[in-house]
Amino acid sequence: MLRRSRSLLLLTACLGLFATPATTAGIRHLSEYDISLGVLPIARASFSSEFDRDDYRINGSFKSSGLVSLFSEISADTSVNGAIRGQRLQARAYSLIYRQDRKTRRYEIRYRNGDVVSTSVDPEPKARPSNWIPVSNGDLRSVLDPLSGLIFPEGAKICPSRLPIYDGESRLDLILSPKGSKPFSTKGFSGDAIVCEVRYVPRSGYKQGRSDIEYLKSVSMEVWFAKADKVNVYAPVYARIPTKVGDVYVTAVKYGG
């Protein structure tokens, strides 16, 4: 259960929904998201970000709510810091502390020029099954972190694009294709959002044949990007993630301010 819940949490993070940019260099930016399964609320997330010249830092927290909390308490704290390099945010260090009831796992990743130089997981994972696809050294080159991987400076190509993500355990690609634009309004933002279809492609760091992975490979997700006020970057404000028990929706209830 810890593994399956973490998979959805990290997929949400990979869709960029744990990341929003600062409104001004050195000024903190706060954003909040509601997460629901259909019409049922299941979690809330809040995040603060800061840009200081060419550097950035993002901190976020996630906590289960609604019916989910009656069966299991799930929470997470996550952070990343790095530098703006051309049309990408390039991480130096990423961390995730994930908790489910009495179980806690910590992930720490260090990057250099887009390559992973170290990964630590505490406690260490148990022995892998024979159908586990291991992460190779080649999988750790030219990758993005799951927290800031879907923030795009103005002028960058948002969709179509292929985003190589490494989360400390798994290596995956998110393939974005254009679907036009749609109006979006929330506290702090009102305007058009860029809509992308998203396909999930696992590369390594997972058990081959796992049912939830196979399901995600077969469906398409959707993510909307909006331009943050007063800073030239785009970040997600809405996503739809199909699951076997229904669609999960992640919606910004505050974006900026």
Side-chain angles (χ1 to χ4, degrees):
M1 179 64 73
L2 182 71
R3 169 66 182 168
R4 288 177 181 268
S5 298
R6 177 185 170 272
S7 296
L8 178 58
L9 174 64
L10 284 174
L11 182 57
T12 305
C14 287
L15 287 173
L17 295 162
F18 285 175
T20 48
T23 54
T24 309
I27 303 299
R28 197 171 55 152
H29 169 98
L30 301 177
S31 291
E32 299 175 356
Y33 295 88
D34 281 346
I35 305 171
S36 63
L37 176 63
V39 298
L40 299 175
I42 60 173
R44 290 185 63 88
S46 61
F47 304 92
S48 64
S49 304
E50 186 174 340
F51 275 47
D52 186 5
R53 296 183 180 177
D54 294 330
D55 295 330
Y56 72 94
R57 173 179 292 275
I58 303 167
N59 296 283
S61 63
F62 171 99
K63 187 175 179 59
S64 60
S65 63
L67 291 176
V68 172
S69 296
L70 297 177
F71 301 97
S72 184
E73 290 287 341
I74 301 170
S75 65
D77 293 302
T78 185
S79 66
V80 64
N81 68 78
I84 305 172
R85 296 284 185 258
Q87 296 185 347
R88 291 251 41 97
L89 301 188
Q90 193 172 89
R92 298 189 190 99
Y94 164 84
S95 71
L96 171 71
I97 303 173
Y98 177 78
R99 311 173 191 87
Q100 183 170 351
D101 300 324
R102 296 184 179 181
K103 296 181 180 180
T104 300
R105 180 160 286 170
R106 179 188 295 269
Y107 298 81
E108 302 280 351
I109 310 173
R110 295 291 182 271
Y111 302 82
R112 183 182 301 120
N113 298 324
D115 298 339
V116 174
V117 295
S118 68
T119 300
S120 65
V121 183
D122 183 27
E124 293 185 1
K126 297 179 180 179
R128 302 301 193 184
S130 59
N131 58 345
W132 183 264
I133 301 177
V135 178
S136 69
N137 289 335
D139 291 330
L140 301 179
R141 298 185 185 126
S142 299
V143 295
L144 303 169
D145 71 280
L147 195 58
S148 57
L150 265 79
I151 294 181
F152 298 90
E154 185 179 32
K157 181 174 63 176
I158 298 176
C159 51
S161 60
R162 178 186 291 264
L163 305 176
I165 306 290
Y166 175 66
D167 65 22
E169 186 171 63
S170 302
R171 169 69 174 81
L172 59 98
D173 284 345
L174 295 178
I175 301 174
L176 279 60
S177 302
K179 289 188 68 176
S181 63
K182 292 184 180 179
F184 181 84
S185 295
T186 191
K187 184 177 180 180
F189 177 85
S190 181
D192 287 335
I194 296 172
V195 180
C196 299
E197 179 182 80
V198 181
R199 305 289 298 192
Y200 169 86
V201 181
R203 294 298 182 188
S204 58
Y206 71 99
K207 186 170 67 173
Q208 190 172 28
R210 212 178 85 184
S211 60
D212 54 343
I213 296 292
E214 293 301 313
Y215 179 79
L216 285 172
K217 286 168 56 178
S218 69
V219 299
S220 63
M221 297 168 275
E222 191 171 281
V223 60
W224 300 11
F225 294 87
K227 187 175 180 182
D229 192 24
K230 298 182 181 179
V231 66
N232 293 325
V233 297
Y234 286 82
V237 290
Y238 170 84
R240 179 186 55 82
I241 308 169
T243 73
K244 287 185 174 181
V245 294
D247 288 352
V248 170
Y249 299 95
V250 189
T251 306
V253 293
K254 181 178 181 181
Y255 186 75

